[in-house]
Amino acid sequence: MQPTITDRIEKKIALKAPRQRVWEAITNENEFAKWFGVEFIEGKFALHQRAKLRATNKGYEHVQLYVTVERIEAPAVFAWRWIPGAEQPEGEATTLVEFRLEETGDGGTLLTVTESGFDRLSLAYRAKALQDNTRGWDAQAKSIQKYLETA
C-alpha cells in the first residue's frame, strides 16, 4: 500500500511545444493570464516581487491571489509562493509552486508542476487546500496543453 502524501502535489505534463515556448507561456504575464484564468491587478512576474492577480474563471471571479516570485532560471525553473486554495485565509502559511521544464527527444517539453509545503498550513485548512489545489492543477494541466496547441 502506498502512503498518502499530504505535503505536495506533483503533475507531469507532456507538451507538444519547444521548451522556450513553454517558458514564455508560464513566465509572460499576458500569456500566463490567458491559460491560468487570471488577470494581473498589480505587479508582474519579477524575482522577489509580489503580484496581485484576480481569477477570471466563471464562479471564481471573487478570488484574489498574491504570488511572490522566488526563483527564475530561464528556461528551466520558475517558482513562486502563494497561499493555496480558493479561500486563501489571511495569515495562513504559503506553499511553493515550482515549474520545471525539460526538453524531450521529440522536440516537446516535459513540464513538472510541484506545489509543496502543505504541512506548513494550519490543520484546519490543510486538507481543503490540498484537495482544492489537486483539482486545480489537474485543470491547469489541461488548460496549458490546450493553450499551447491552439496558440
Side-chain angles (χ1 to χ4, degrees):
M1 189 161 104
Q2 293 282 346
T4 302
I5 298 173
T6 59
D7 183 47
R8 68 189 310 109
I9 299 166
E10 183 173 281
K11 300 288 175 199
K12 292 188 180 286
I13 310 148
L15 299 168
K16 296 177 183 173
R19 183 164 72 164
Q20 187 60 42
R21 177 69 192 100
V22 177
W23 179 258
E24 288 299 315
I26 64 172
T27 61
N28 176 289
E29 293 88 357
N30 292 328
E31 290 199 48
F32 179 84
K34 289 175 186 173
W35 68 266
F36 202 81
V38 294
E39 66 179 345
F40 282 73
I41 297 172
E42 296 172 11
K44 61 181 186 166
F45 286 153
L47 192 59
H48 306 300
Q49 298 297 311
R50 182 176 155 170
K52 180 180 180 182
L53 295 73
R54 184 181 66 80
T56 57
N57 292 325
K58 187 173 175 120
Y60 293 92
E61 298 91 343
H62 65 285
V63 176
Q64 292 187 0
L65 317 167
Y66 296 88
V67 301
T68 302
V69 176
E70 290 244 326
R71 194 167 161 201
I72 302 173
E73 294 175 17
V77 181
F78 180 61
W80 77 62
R81 288 198 163 280
W82 69 351
I83 297 174
E87 293 176 21
Q88 299 206 332
E90 193 171 318
E92 193 60 72
T94 60
T95 56
L96 179 67
V97 174
E98 186 174 70
F99 297 86
R100 289 191 170 273
L101 290 75
E102 299 173 55
E103 292 177 348
T104 58
D106 60 2
T109 304
L110 177 63
L111 172 62
T112 302
V113 180
T114 305
E115 184 171 3
S116 60
F118 286 91
D119 61 351
R120 298 175 61 215
L121 303 177
S122 67
L123 283 175
Y125 188 60
R126 184 180 309 164
K128 178 157 180 36
L130 189 62
Q131 181 180 15
D132 285 352
N133 283 25
T134 298
R135 281 196 311 264
W137 287 118
D138 286 342
Q140 294 300 2
K142 292 174 186 163
S143 183
I144 194 169
Q145 280 180 313
K146 183 178 178 184
Y147 176 76
L148 289 169
E149 287 174 7
T150 59

